Amino acid sequence: MCGIVAYIGHRQAYPVVIKGLQRLEYRGYDSAGVALLNGELSVYKKAGKVADLAAYVSDKNLNGTVGMGHTRWATHGEPNDRNAHPHYSESEELAIIHNGIIENYAAIKQELINSGHTFKSDTDTEVLIHLIEEVKNKTNVPTEEAVRLALGEVIGAYAIVILSKKEPDKVIAARKGSPIVIGVGKDEFFIASDATPIVEYTKNVVYLNDNEVATINNGDLTVRTIDNEMKVPFVQELELKLEAIEKGGYDHFMIKEIYEQPRSIWDSMRGRIDAQNGRLRLGGINEFEKKLTNAKRIIVVACGTSWHAGLVAEYLIEDLARIPVEVEYASEFRYRNPIISEEDVVIAISQSGETADTLAAIEMAKERGATIFGVCNVVGSSIPRATHAGSYTHAGPEIGVASTKAFTAQVTVLTLMALQIAHKKGTITQSRYRSLLHELENIPAKVEVALKSNDKVKEIAARFKDARNFLYLGRGYGFPVALEGALKLKEISYIHAEGYPAAEMKHGPIALIDEEMPVVVIATKNASYEKVVSNIQEVKARKGKIIAIVTEGDVTVKKMADYTIEIPETDDILVPLVSVIPLQLLSYHIAVMRGCNVDQPRNLAKSVTVE
């Protein structure tokens, strides 16, 4: 989940690298560093953000047309200067940057210490570069060959880039379980964790596969597997646009991405539905459509916000397609020896396509014969390549660490999937099917209306910005939204918040209610409306403060709630796409008012690529 960027070519490397680190800072921001080849192999690194590094190196020699940089989210070793990347080898002739975890680093480190190595950091990464140099010295092979041999000895996940003082025209990169993309320009190459640092220089990229080592030497790119099999690099064109990864006048990426949702929801449907003619087609699942419609059980695996989208999918698929669904935290699913058969279908959901636990869950389910479908936002990432089939969301780059538009894009695609299965199975009437397609096409406009609640939400945020706890309640399709609203508040404002099914309040959480407790209730008009009204009355009887998300024109809840936020009326199954909007705005404004770093909340990184 750290950010990696490197450059070799005719430009000065440092400006490319430092700008790349700024673009990648959402992947980690507790320390940063650069290495430059300029006659010497110069390493500069600093605890803190990329801006702290830029200030630190302002008086240093930053010349050189080969360089690499790293922005860190700490795993092994606390965030400080010495644990920041890059790391030198024993002789300081090699340097490395690394995303991932070397699980057997302790045993390797002890062997190296016994051989006379000394270490300056607490990281597993420094152990890896020492090992590579040890292999190189013992075998007298080129650096890329030493990398290949050393990686055969390590257990874990990695994306690495290596520079050599003695080979100034060479950059080496390798991956297993963590992403690496190589940008191919005219007599220049760019390497990064994802495409965001590359897009302004070239549209042509190569995505490394697991267990591949890439060597860029004198303007040539070669790729070999760890088993020394030569591979032909597949160059593809990026669809990413530069303006998509810039703030565009907004104060933060998060608020920009909240306001992009009418477009990202539409883009996730575009070309897939034709409501006028009653057509729906998710092209990515055509080959396995029969497997889906005949599934005895569907298992959804995901983490965080994607898990909440998966919970919406459970309601959708069981409601519309009448297939049993289980929603699993990938981190628990992979370790609890679950019962999986060849008749099962697994849907894996991930914004980044690199979530380590979800990838591991996919591999385990594949080994047991299940068919795997992916729902992912990042083209070329690991999960689309690991699954049998699937569908991309089209949210565009999401830079803010707290996921917003990715959630609604995932829910959109999962809704389409549920509708397609239901239609093929005949578990939904033609009139209901057509009605839902028409209403789906109306959702972007209704999200636009929901965004107009921003000023009202801001007033509510000012009232509750100093609250110590929040409770979020919802029933049916509103329950996953309550969970997601609570998570957003926790992530970026550091206020403790919990989401509950509204009926569960009486089974414990009601004990927390007092005059200082804000309770956010999803109280839209649906079959459970009267029940939710009763829950609100129970909170009011105990002097709790009610913030209610209600359907336009609501009268009953408005009389009871302390604050109401109206959203447009829509079909019950589509309520999550609209009702989540004011909750995203609420968390954003509270966090801003509390002085929190909205785009880079403490202790979090955008994609969790290590366990």
Side-chain angles (χ1 to χ4, degrees):
M1 71 179 65
C2 305
I4 284 173
V5 61
Y7 175 79
I8 181 169
H10 51 80
R11 306 171 193 255
Q12 286 293 301
Y14 175 75
V16 176
V17 170
I18 200 72
K19 183 182 284 188
L21 292 183
Q22 290 163 347
R23 297 216 187 280
L24 287 173
E25 198 165 13
Y26 66 91
R27 297 182 68 94
Y29 34 88
D30 57 45
S31 58
V34 295
L36 299 166
L37 278 168
N38 47 22
E40 298 295 322
L41 178 53
S42 303
V43 169
Y44 309 116
K45 50 189 184 175
K46 195 72 178 167
K49 299 186 181 298
V50 173
D52 297 309
L53 172 68
Y56 172 67
V57 302
S58 59
D59 60 348
K60 306 291 191 295
N61 177 11
L62 302 177
N63 291 321
T65 58
V66 181
M68 64 184 183
H70 187 270
T71 181
R72 182 173 186 246
W73 189 89
T75 50
H76 290 94
E78 66 180 73
N80 56 32
D81 290 355
R82 68 190 184 92
N83 288 332
H85 298 209
H87 289 287
Y88 279 124
S89 62
E90 177 78 13
S91 70
E92 298 192 355
E93 289 183 359
L94 303 177
I96 189 173
I97 52 178
H98 170 219
N99 177 16
I101 289 181
I102 306 303
E103 295 176 10
N104 60 336
Y105 85 99
I108 296 170
K109 184 175 185 177
Q110 189 57 55
E111 288 183 17
L112 291 168
I113 289 171
N114 294 343
S115 299
H117 288 250
T118 57
F119 293 89
K120 298 176 182 177
S121 77
D122 305 315
T123 67
D124 55 335
T125 304
E126 188 185 11
V127 173
L128 179 55
I129 195 62
H130 278 241
L131 174 64
I132 290 168
E133 185 170 75
E134 180 79 356
V135 170
K136 181 176 170 64
N137 290 340
K138 283 183 175 179
T139 58
N140 195 31
V141 296
T143 305
E144 61 269 27
E145 179 69 4
V147 170
R148 189 182 66 77
L149 293 171
L151 291 177
E153 298 183 28
V154 304
I155 300 168
Y158 52 80
I160 59 173
V161 179
I162 293 167
L163 300 183
S164 169
K165 178 180 175 180
K166 292 185 175 180
E167 299 168 285
D169 296 320
K170 184 181 289 185
V171 177
I172 301 157
R175 72 155 283 174
K176 180 183 178 183
S178 290
I180 283 283
V181 57
I182 300 172
V184 182
K186 184 174 174 55
D187 300 321
E188 60 182 350
F189 293 87
F190 308 81
I191 302 172
S193 303
D194 62 44
T196 53
I198 293 173
V199 64
E200 69 180 280
Y201 305 106
T202 180
K203 291 284 191 178
N204 299 319
V205 297
V206 173
Y207 291 96
L208 278 192
N209 294 309
D210 275 355
N211 300 308
E212 288 184 346
V213 180
T215 304
I216 300 165
N217 189 18
N218 291 314
D220 291 323
L221 169 65
T222 58
V223 178
R224 291 182 179 272
T225 68
I226 288 176
D227 296 325
N228 205 27
E229 179 187 353
M230 182 72 80
K231 293 287 186 179
V232 178
F234 173 64
V235 180
Q236 55 186 288
E237 187 173 338
L238 286 174
E239 296 180 2
L240 180 64
K241 295 181 180 178
L242 181 60
E243 57 267 25
I245 58 173
E246 296 181 336
K247 288 182 184 174
Y250 288 91
D251 290 337
H252 301 93
F253 280 110
M254 183 180 178
I255 192 65
K256 174 179 182 261
E257 288 157 6
I258 289 172
Y259 273 88
E260 284 175 342
Q261 287 175 107
R263 175 62 183 268
S264 58
I265 290 170
W266 175 247
D267 284 346
S268 294
M269 293 189 287
R270 184 161 44 89
R272 291 169 166 171
I273 68 169
D274 176 0
Q276 186 173 349
N277 294 301
R279 296 194 188 115
L280 163 60
R281 199 70 171 163
L282 279 171
I285 65 174
N286 286 351
E287 184 181 351
F288 293 89
E289 187 176 69
K290 191 171 287 187
K291 190 81 176 181
L292 269 170
T293 56
N294 294 332
K296 301 297 183 188
R297 177 178 64 156
I298 292 175
I299 303 167
V300 177
V301 293
C303 301
T305 286
S306 296
W307 188 88
H308 297 155
L311 199 57
V312 177
E314 177 183 20
Y315 286 55
L316 287 165
I317 295 169
E318 291 192 344
D319 189 357
L320 299 175
R322 310 307 298 155
I323 300 172
V325 179
E326 297 174 13
V327 185
E328 300 271 5
Y329 287 109
S331 55
E332 289 296 312
F333 179 78
R334 63 179 290 200
Y335 286 118
R336 66 169 179 79
N337 194 23
I339 299 169
I340 307 170
S341 76
E342 294 180 1
E343 293 183 319
D344 290 329
V345 170
V346 173
I347 299 175
I349 311 171
S350 169
Q351 187 282 138
S352 68
E354 304 292 347
T355 310
D357 286 319
T358 306
L359 275 164
I362 288 169
E363 293 306 324
M364 183 179 70
K366 280 171 73 176
E367 288 170 5
R368 301 185 187 189
T371 301
I372 318 295
F373 290 84
V375 176
C376 180
N377 189 42
V378 180
V379 175
S381 56
S382 297
I383 285 176
R385 289 185 284 177
T387 52
H388 294 108
S391 296
Y392 283 111
T393 58
H394 294 290
E398 189 177 64
I399 308 299
V401 167
S403 189
T404 53
K405 64 176 180 174
F407 173 77
T408 50
Q410 287 168 351
V411 171
T412 300
V413 168
L414 292 164
T415 303
L416 296 177
M417 189 178 289
L419 278 168
Q420 184 165 329
I421 299 168
H423 189 239
K424 288 293 180 182
K425 287 189 70 177
T427 54
I428 185 172
T429 65
Q430 188 66 18
S431 61
R432 172 90 169 124
Y433 174 70
R434 281 180 169 270
S435 172
L436 286 171
L437 290 183
H438 278 288
E439 185 58 11
L440 260 174
E441 286 193 338
N442 292 330
I443 288 296
K446 294 189 175 185
V447 170
E448 288 273 14
V449 174
L451 287 165
K452 293 178 181 178
S453 67
N454 183 61
D455 290 344
K456 178 71 174 291
V457 172
K458 201 170 182 178
E459 293 173 11
I460 298 169
R463 165 66 179 84
F464 292 105
K465 66 182 176 62
D466 296 318
R468 298 181 63 186
N469 300 283
F470 265 75
L471 198 59
Y472 286 71
L473 303 176
R475 283 179 180 258
Y477 287 95
F479 169 51
V481 177
L483 292 174
E484 176 60 10
L487 177 61
K488 284 288 109 21
L489 190 69
K490 282 184 280 195
E491 284 180 309
I492 63 170
S493 73
Y494 320 138
I495 295 173
H496 174 254
E498 295 296 336
Y500 280 93
E504 287 297 301
M505 183 181 61
K506 290 179 285 188
H507 294 270
I510 199 167
L512 298 171
I513 303 296
D514 61 20
E515 60 273 12
E516 295 301 318
M517 172 67 85
V519 181
V520 180
V521 185
I522 316 302
T524 53
K525 286 286 180 67
N526 57 35
S528 303
Y529 180 75
E530 297 302 329
K531 300 289 187 184
V532 173
V533 168
S534 297
N535 296 136
I536 292 172
Q537 289 171 331
E538 290 161 355
V539 173
K540 291 303 296 178
R542 290 155 181 85
K543 303 188 187 310
K545 302 298 182 185
I546 295 288
I547 304 165
I549 311 300
V550 300
T551 306
E552 277 179 336
D554 181 282
V555 175
T556 304
V557 173
K558 272 189 172 181
K559 292 177 180 176
M560 302 163 54
D562 297 274
Y563 304 90
T564 56
I565 304 165
E566 291 191 352
I567 61 171
E569 185 175 4
T570 188
D571 191 281
D572 196 20
I573 75 163
L574 303 179
V575 162
L577 291 167
V578 186
S579 60
V580 75
I581 303 300
L583 304 189
Q584 294 171 346
L585 291 169
L586 182 65
S587 63
Y588 171 79
H589 287 302
I590 287 177
V592 170
M593 290 174 186
R594 289 168 64 89
C596 301
N597 189 333
V598 174
D599 287 336
Q600 298 173 359
R602 68 188 182 202
N603 303 332
L604 296 177
K606 183 63 180 172
S607 54
V608 183
T609 59
V610 295
E611 293 183 49

